[in-house]
Amino acid sequence: GHGTQPLYDLAVSAGGETVRKRIGLRYIEVVNQPDAIGRPLTVRVNGVDIFCKGANWIPTDALPARQEGRYEQLILSAKTANMNMIRVWGGGQFEADRFYELCDEHGILLWHDFMFSCALYPADAEFLAEIAAETTHQVKRLRDHACIALWCGDNECVGALTWFKESRDSRDRYLVDWVRLDDTRGGAARAADPTRTYWPSSPCAGPGDFSDTWHKDGSGDMHYWSVWHEGKSFDAYYAVKPRFCSEFGYQSFNSLESVRTYCPPEDFNITAPTMEYHQRNDGGNRRINEMFSRYFRMPKGFAETLYLSQVQQSLAIKTAVEYWRSLRPQCMGTLFWQLNDIWPVASWASVEYGGRWKQLQHHARRFFQPVAAVIHQRVDGEAGEIVEAWAINDTAHEADLAVELALWGFDGAPGAAETLRARVAAGSALRLGRWSATHFCVDDAARQNRFLHVTLSGTCGGQAVTHANTHVFTEYKRCRLADAQVVAKVDGATLTLSSDKPAFYVMASAQTGGEFCDNSLTLLPGRPRTLIMRDQHGTAMPVGDVAVMHLRQTY
């Protein structure tokens, strides 16, 4: 999203041996000096502050021999979805060389944890010597890759000091052990690579500050899990303003196409033994179902349940990302949990095991677009319930934009429309308007019968830009959705979708190995959409048989 990634062939010969590498030239900083709020975490590349957009990375396969073969598909999936950063999680592994080469080639920055996660580690001399050796080896192996933005000591090991009886009973002892561990790996990392920031732990407020950044949002990176683990509503994302949120997530089930690969038809029920075995988070299915009851009408069948779980996951992550992006420059990073899966399982991933995109990955392609328009509806103190429209521009160029806010009835009747025009500076977010919620819906009946369709168009850096968004004014379960009839016509590599009434989260599924250029979208009457099926390299391929589902069909 910030230009090309030129790489240069380098050959160094000495004593009859030659080493060959492809290197990229750039200057990278992590800005963490105190400001009026706390301490930021801003990645700056060649003098440009980058809003980091992406996801967390776990090993690609439970069987190590198959892992490397999945790299390219996943890296290209991240790039296609407008991600510019991946966090290599400390509960995983250092990846093979090809992973880092692909990130160099495709412009994917890496937040790279060392491999310590969620545990208490010893600090005896023998173990610390192993840590120093491993850190030195891995940093020297990887330091010439332009993609690596920072080294991070561990995942949640500071938090783990409060998780176990042993560490709660002897906190001083285990805190000293962690400090010795961190001094060892931090010293080794800085000695082997003095050009990069060493970040002690994720989450933390920064070097020397290990306050509770699960719940305090003013400094460093935050892990925000109150929605999934604590069961808070999606509106809870509006209550925090992270400087950089490096973990947050919401689960969904796999698509029916993927479920068929491991579940027999007689177990097509989410509480059947096979489906429960493919859910490794205690209470995960219960959380998904309970949240259904808050936002949606309960699905009528198994296929509808799988589909609706992906709608719900998309809504959760979209709510957080769009709000946090509008806080720029206070917030400068959103990395959701997680990009990929290690086996076919209900999880927080946006790409299923095997490479099929969940609905979340399609929404990420839109909500991570460099130039985008977003709508927030939230309670704001004495002002009460308000609606805000924002334009976001992550590029290095000014954007000249027109954003249309058009009211529609769920019955398909168009209502009032307003166009807001603005010049949005490079690397900024601009509030286009702020209204009381009653400006759009004077009463509850209006909330149940209308929605807002948002269309952005304009130019940025000499290029045309477009973006579309949809906002409903109440929970979908309360909306009077029309029983839309969606028609799908296939012609080679193209699929044309049309509808007689507004249809939401329209998801087209094919058996081929490609992905549509867009999916899980809003379809308006009289405005057909043509989608192109492409393989992982962007080449058009035949669509084949296709199935389509939209939100109203789930009940």
Side-chain angles (χ1 to χ4, degrees):
H2 293 270
T4 59
Q5 285 71 50
L7 298 174
Y8 306 93
D9 293 323
L10 173 70
V12 179
S13 299
E17 294 187 19
T18 300
V19 172
R20 300 183 185 277
K21 294 188 176 184
R22 296 186 74 208
I23 64 168
L25 304 177
R26 86 290 177 277
Y27 186 71
I28 195 162
E29 307 165 78
V30 174
V31 179
N32 186 231
Q33 289 75 32
D35 60 16
I37 299 169
R39 297 175 70 181
L41 197 170
T42 300
V43 177
R44 182 175 292 165
V45 181
N46 296 335
V48 177
D49 289 350
I50 306 296
F51 193 103
C52 296
K53 300 173 289 191
N56 285 252
W57 175 278
I58 67 171
T60 65
D61 202 294
L63 300 178
R66 300 199 301 209
Q67 290 187 129
E68 194 168 346
R70 303 187 189 277
Y71 286 163
E72 185 170 21
Q73 183 181 36
L74 287 167
I75 294 298
L76 288 173
S77 288
K79 179 182 180 180
T80 303
N82 290 305
M83 297 182 186
N84 59 21
M85 177 176 273
I86 287 171
R87 175 180 174 232
V88 180
W89 171 61
Q93 64 187 19
F94 292 98
E95 298 291 351
D97 290 347
R98 185 58 184 150
F99 170 76
Y100 303 95
E101 292 167 359
L102 285 165
C103 290
D104 285 343
E105 293 168 11
H106 294 290
I108 304 295
L109 291 166
L110 293 181
W111 171 307
H112 208 305
D113 286 1
F114 294 146
M115 297 304 123
F116 304 88
S117 182
C118 304
L120 308 173
Y121 291 88
D124 57 86
E126 291 81 7
F127 189 67
L128 294 180
E130 288 189 9
I131 290 172
E134 176 182 271
T135 303
T136 299
H137 167 76
Q138 293 291 359
V139 171
K140 285 186 174 181
R141 176 173 80 94
L142 301 174
R143 64 189 177 188
D144 293 334
H145 287 284
C147 60
I148 296 174
L150 60 83
W151 302 113
C152 178
D154 64 55
N155 174 77
E156 299 186 352
C157 290
V158 175
L161 294 172
T162 66
W163 296 348
F164 306 104
K165 182 179 185 302
E166 293 81 358
S167 55
R168 289 195 299 268
D169 290 347
S170 303
R171 180 174 172 80
D172 290 351
R173 171 197 164 185
Y174 286 97
L175 178 60
V176 168
D177 281 354
W178 182 85
V179 172
R180 289 171 176 165
L181 169 75
D182 191 58
D183 284 347
T184 299
R185 65 195 178 197
R190 285 186 285 265
D193 183 9
T195 70
R196 287 185 179 87
T197 292
Y198 173 76
W199 194 257
S201 182
S202 182
C204 76
D209 186 343
F210 309 110
S211 51
D212 178 10
T213 48
W214 276 271
H215 301 95
K216 296 179 181 178
D217 55 8
S219 296
D221 72 310
M222 186 179 199
H223 290 188
Y224 188 71
W225 282 102
S226 294
V227 172
W228 174 254
H229 287 303
E230 299 173 27
K232 291 187 177 182
S233 70
F234 299 160
D235 288 346
Y237 289 121
Y238 295 137
V240 294
K241 298 179 179 181
R243 311 308 300 270
F244 192 115
C245 198
S246 53
E247 265 194 38
F248 62 103
Y250 204 87
Q251 267 202 5
S252 69
F253 298 112
N254 285 309
S255 63
L256 183 60
E257 292 79 8
S258 292
V259 168
R260 284 194 178 109
T261 66
Y262 59 82
C263 185
E266 60 267 26
D267 273 5
F268 276 11
N269 187 299
I270 65 169
T271 60
T274 303
M275 289 298 293
E276 288 199 333
Y277 184 77
H278 286 257
Q279 166 61 274
R280 308 312 297 172
N281 185 245
D282 290 342
N285 290 0
R286 173 182 53 78
R287 289 189 183 96
I288 292 171
N289 264 324
E290 196 278 331
M291 197 63 83
F292 280 167
S293 69
R294 296 194 209 180
Y295 289 97
F296 302 98
R297 303 187 189 189
M298 294 304 290
K300 62 185 178 183
F302 181 65
E304 291 81 6
T305 298
L306 302 181
Y307 160 90
L308 188 60
S309 75
Q310 294 197 11
V311 171
Q312 181 168 261
Q313 178 191 38
S314 302
L315 178 61
I317 304 306
K318 178 178 184 286
T319 299
V321 170
E322 290 190 340
Y323 178 59
W324 293 340
R325 285 189 69 191
S326 74
L327 299 178
R328 177 185 178 134
Q330 181 171 342
C331 177
M332 287 300 290
T334 59
L335 308 179
F336 64 76
W337 183 271
Q338 69 218 51
L339 178 68
N340 58 307
D341 269 330
I342 198 168
W343 70 304
V345 63
S347 83
W348 306 265
S350 59
V351 178
E352 297 174 0
Y353 178 81
R356 180 182 290 272
W357 284 23
K358 289 184 178 179
Q359 294 189 52
L360 172 56
Q361 188 74 359
H362 289 285
H363 285 270
R365 188 189 61 78
R366 293 193 291 269
F367 63 59
F368 279 152
Q369 272 188 224
V371 180
V374 302
I375 301 291
H376 311 142
Q377 183 174 333
R378 55 192 172 85
V379 176
D380 188 12
E382 294 182 0
E385 191 174 23
I386 55 97
V387 175
E388 292 184 343
W390 288 76
I392 300 162
N393 176 16
D394 285 339
T395 76
H397 308 281
E398 183 182 69
D400 187 5
L401 304 176
V403 177
E404 182 189 66
L405 309 181
L407 282 169
W408 284 76
F410 289 121
D411 60 1
E418 179 180 4
T419 299
L420 309 172
R421 300 186 180 276
R423 291 185 177 272
V424 185
S428 71
L430 178 67
R431 190 171 72 187
L432 302 175
R434 174 185 170 98
W435 309 269
S436 167
T438 57
H439 175 80
F440 297 100
C441 298
V442 295
D443 55 24
D444 195 54
R447 289 175 180 243
Q448 295 179 31
N449 285 285
R450 62 178 58 171
F451 66 98
L452 198 62
H453 187 67
V454 183
T455 306
L456 176 151
S457 60
T459 58
C460 182
Q463 302 293 320
V465 291
T466 61
H467 183 253
N469 214 333
T470 302
H471 178 75
V472 297
F473 297 100
T474 188
E475 298 87 354
Y476 276 102
K477 68 179 183 181
R478 305 184 71 245
C479 296
R480 305 293 183 184
L481 303 183
D483 190 11
Q485 303 300 307
V486 175
V487 176
K489 293 183 178 180
V490 175
D491 182 9
T494 65
L495 170 68
T496 301
L497 299 171
S498 59
S499 180
D500 62 338
K501 299 289 176 59
F504 302 88
Y505 295 95
V506 180
M507 184 69 183
S509 303
Q511 298 299 321
T512 56
E515 292 290 343
F516 288 108
C517 63
D518 200 1
N519 220 332
S520 191
L521 47 85
T522 299
L523 199 60
L524 300 177
R527 299 186 184 182
R529 299 285 299 276
T530 297
L531 313 182
I532 301 174
M533 172 70 76
R534 301 186 187 277
D535 65 18
Q536 68 176 43
H537 299 289
T539 303
M541 60 183 296
V543 172
D545 294 335
V546 66
V548 178
M549 185 174 289
H550 61 86
L551 185 59
R552 180 60 182 85
Q553 292 177 311
T554 61
Y555 59 90

